[in-house]
Amino acid sequence: MRKLTKEDQTFSNCLIDAYNNEDIKTVLVMGFEDDDKFMISLMSALEAEKNARVQLRVNLLEHTKELVQRAVDQYLKNTKVAFNTKNPLNIFGRKIPVDQWGRNSSFPVYNDISIYYPVQTVIDGGNSNDFKKFSEALSNDHSKLRILVTTNDVTKGYLKLDLLSNVVDKIMVLDSSEKFSEQYNIILNNLNEDRIYYENFELDN
């Protein structure tokens, strides 16, 4: 089972700091290790405040369930992921309600933290209707903090980050270059680069 590294804890602390910063409403989480991005974001959300209301907001339910199960398997033994819009995600002794933002984009939401996962399919510029619904869902989400978590984000230009320029207050990059050094070096080799483009972003941009 995976354990949190110093870099993971630093990331988690920064995410919790964002929750306590009234000037930050929306955070975009990036990094090449998708399972860690989701799990550390979720763990941070649950630690941000005792009994914080945390909700998982998804687009495609079954696909997200597969992604969440894969991520959970890295940190927890024998934990079966089973959730839908009527039955919450049971994890770490908490019940995390789940909804589909595409179906509920016009509904007002009031959580302490909303986690949108995954979001790359609506910010790759391929489906303007999905992005319109996504924007509507965000505008109607009045949670204290909204965390947007990407997958497949290592290729520069794939994600149209400018679409979120008026929404995202902070971009946070999970540094997994030492924790998964072999995977990291393979990515750099495939990209023919010495860094992933978002590593040039400031942690506190």
Side-chain angles (χ1 to χ4, degrees):
M1 295 290 99
R2 294 179 184 175
K3 296 185 181 298
L4 298 186
T5 65
K6 182 176 69 174
E7 290 78 14
D8 294 338
Q9 192 59 60
T10 296
F11 175 88
S12 178
N13 291 341
C14 288
L15 198 51
I16 292 172
D17 286 345
Y19 173 75
N20 291 313
N21 187 332
E22 293 184 357
D23 294 326
I24 298 176
K25 298 299 182 186
T26 306
V27 171
L28 177 66
V29 173
M30 305 185 73
F32 70 84
E33 220 305 313
D34 296 338
D35 297 337
D36 267 25
K37 277 185 299 188
F38 173 75
M39 289 299 288
I40 297 172
S41 294
L42 177 60
M43 287 187 276
S44 303
L46 295 176
E47 292 174 7
E49 184 178 348
K50 185 178 181 181
N51 300 320
R53 298 185 307 276
V54 178
Q55 182 175 32
L56 176 61
R57 309 203 72 193
V58 310
N59 187 18
L60 302 176
L61 194 62
E62 292 304 315
H63 174 61
T64 306
K65 194 181 299 183
E66 293 174 4
L67 295 179
V68 172
Q69 182 68 70
R70 188 185 71 187
V72 168
D73 286 343
Q74 309 306 317
Y75 283 88
L76 299 172
K77 291 183 178 179
N78 304 318
T79 301
K80 176 68 175 177
V81 168
F83 62 78
N84 54 43
T85 55
K86 294 182 179 179
N87 298 295
L89 168 63
N90 292 298
I91 191 169
F92 300 122
R94 298 281 296 276
K95 296 181 184 295
I96 312 298
V98 179
D99 84 328
Q100 292 179 272
W101 55 257
R103 295 184 178 182
N104 302 325
S105 60
S106 62
F107 298 166
V109 172
Y110 298 90
N111 299 307
D112 290 310
I113 300 176
S114 292
I115 300 176
Y116 290 76
Y117 179 73
V119 301
Q120 81 287 344
T121 57
V122 293
I123 56 174
D124 62 5
N127 191 320
S128 59
N129 187 53
D130 273 358
F131 183 73
K132 182 179 179 180
K133 285 186 177 181
F134 183 62
S135 297
E136 183 180 33
L138 287 175
S139 67
N140 287 310
D141 187 339
H142 306 287
S143 302
K144 185 174 180 180
L145 182 66
R146 304 174 299 190
I147 303 173
L148 318 181
V149 185
T150 65
T151 59
N152 304 320
D153 60 11
V154 299
T155 302
K156 186 175 182 178
Y158 171 60
L159 299 182
K160 312 304 181 188
L161 299 181
D162 58 308
L163 292 174
L164 298 176
S165 60
N166 294 324
V167 176
V168 170
D169 301 303
K170 181 182 180 72
I171 295 176
M172 292 184 56
V173 179
L174 176 61
D175 179 7
S176 302
S177 57
E178 293 187 13
K179 187 176 182 179
F180 303 103
S181 58
E182 183 176 352
Q183 182 183 350
Y184 176 68
N185 288 324
I186 290 172
I187 291 171
L188 293 183
N189 185 61
N190 290 339
L191 294 173
N192 194 27
E193 299 284 354
D194 58 3
R195 291 170 67 84
I196 301 174
Y197 70 97
Y198 49 63
E199 291 183 277
N200 296 317
F201 298 169
E202 294 290 337
L203 185 62
D204 292 315
N205 70 320

